[in-house]
Amino acid sequence: GEKVEQHESTLSVREGDSAVINCTYTDTASSYFPWYKQEAGKSLHFVIDIRSNVDRKQSQRLTVLLDKKAKRFSLHITATQPEDSAIYFCAASQGGRALIFGTGTTVSVSP
Amino acid sequence: NAGVIQTPRHKVTGKGQEATLWCEPISGHSAVFWYRQTIVQGLEFLTYFRNQAPIDDSGMPKERFSAQMPNQSHSTLKIQSTQPQDSAVYLCASSLTTNSDYTFGSGTRLLVI
């Protein structure tokens, strides 16, 4: 089955800098790649996704890149703010199957 | 829209007792998922339903865990003979389709002592 590896377990950035989180997946049939954010003491909520028919998607300060050849996708956060501090999870799935999640990256944005 | 509702928020059970966790998905969502979150294992997929039918339970520990979705407005996860290693946050999520973003509930924190 699918396995998703999230390469950075922690990431510390200064406010205003950029943060990048990288994930790789194993199943070439995977076609849906969302990202979720979990703030302290709260549940996960959806932030952005990308499907395999495109290689880039942007939403405000968030950009997701997908490299299907390398089976790699990444989340880029620009102009980081303190409220971006959270655990970020990448995930992957193929049609009809449940999401498989990475292990999470704790992002800390310091003033 | 109250989102995905999970009850109870916290549950403490003695080793060997049964625990039943409830989930009310968002109305109109066809897919319902159960995950387990621990510090050590991260987010583990357990099982999911589509239009109330069980589709994939490959993540469920065999024998003691079972899940049902008797109607479109709720799903239950039952753990029999609970063990300390079952202690975790159990998350329920629903989505419009299997391949769209999930809305997670707040989770049930289960502690087996």
Side-chain angles (χ1 to χ4, degrees):
Chain A
E2 174 68 279
K3 288 183 174 50
V4 177
E5 186 174 350
Q6 200 159 341
H7 296 264
E8 297 83 8
S9 57
T10 61
L11 202 53
S12 295
V13 297
R14 297 286 287 271
E15 185 176 352
D17 288 349
S18 294
V20 182
I21 305 170
N22 296 285
C23 291
T24 51
Y25 60 99
T26 58
D27 191 343
T28 52
S30 286
S31 59
Y32 179 57
F33 307 92
W35 290 82
Y36 288 80
K37 178 181 181 182
Q38 186 173 34
E39 294 171 70
K42 297 189 177 179
S43 192
L44 283 79
H45 75 261
F46 169 81
V47 291
I48 191 170
D49 60 9
I50 191 166
R51 296 181 189 276
S52 57
N53 59 339
V54 297
D55 55 17
R56 178 190 176 97
K57 183 174 179 180
Q58 182 174 356
S59 173
Q60 298 181 320
R61 297 186 295 108
L62 302 178
T63 301
V64 183
L65 303 178
L66 174 63
D67 180 346
K68 291 189 291 291
K69 222 174 197 180
K71 288 188 280 187
R72 181 173 57 218
F73 58 115
S74 57
L75 175 68
H76 298 246
I77 309 172
T78 57
T80 53
Q81 300 168 1
E83 53 265 36
D84 295 328
S85 296
I87 304 175
Y88 290 81
F89 292 91
C90 61
S93 72
Q94 57 168 288
R97 308 205 68 165
L99 286 172
I100 300 301
F101 285 85
T103 48
T105 298
T106 301
V107 174
S108 301
V109 180
S110 56
Chain B
N1 184 353
V4 175
I5 299 171
Q6 288 189 251
T7 54
R9 289 295 305 274
H10 303 272
K11 186 170 183 66
V12 180
T13 65
K15 182 179 170 182
Q17 291 185 325
E18 183 178 286
T20 300
L21 314 180
W22 294 71
C23 172
E24 181 180 328
I26 291 174
S27 177
H29 280 192
S30 67
V32 175
F33 307 86
W34 286 95
Y35 287 83
R36 176 167 67 178
Q37 186 174 28
T38 60
I39 299 293
V40 173
Q41 298 292 337
L43 271 163
E44 295 177 276
F45 165 71
L46 295 176
T47 187
Y48 95 90
F49 298 84
R50 186 168 61 231
N51 296 323
Q52 297 173 235
I55 302 298
D56 182 358
D57 67 353
S58 59
M60 294 275 271
K62 301 305 177 200
E63 297 175 359
R64 298 188 297 108
F65 282 60
S66 62
Q68 295 182 331
M69 192 160 184
N71 57 58
Q72 63 187 11
S73 63
H74 89 272
S75 175
T76 57
L77 179 68
K78 185 181 290 186
I79 309 172
Q80 294 178 309
S81 185
T82 53
Q83 303 297 309
Q85 61 264 31
D86 299 332
S87 297
V89 176
Y90 289 81
L91 293 168
C92 176
S94 70
S95 65
L96 272 172
T97 68
T98 311
N99 238 23
S100 57
D101 61 277
Y102 296 4
T103 300
F104 281 86
S106 300
T108 295
R109 186 174 295 275
L110 175 68
L111 177 62
V112 181
I113 55 174

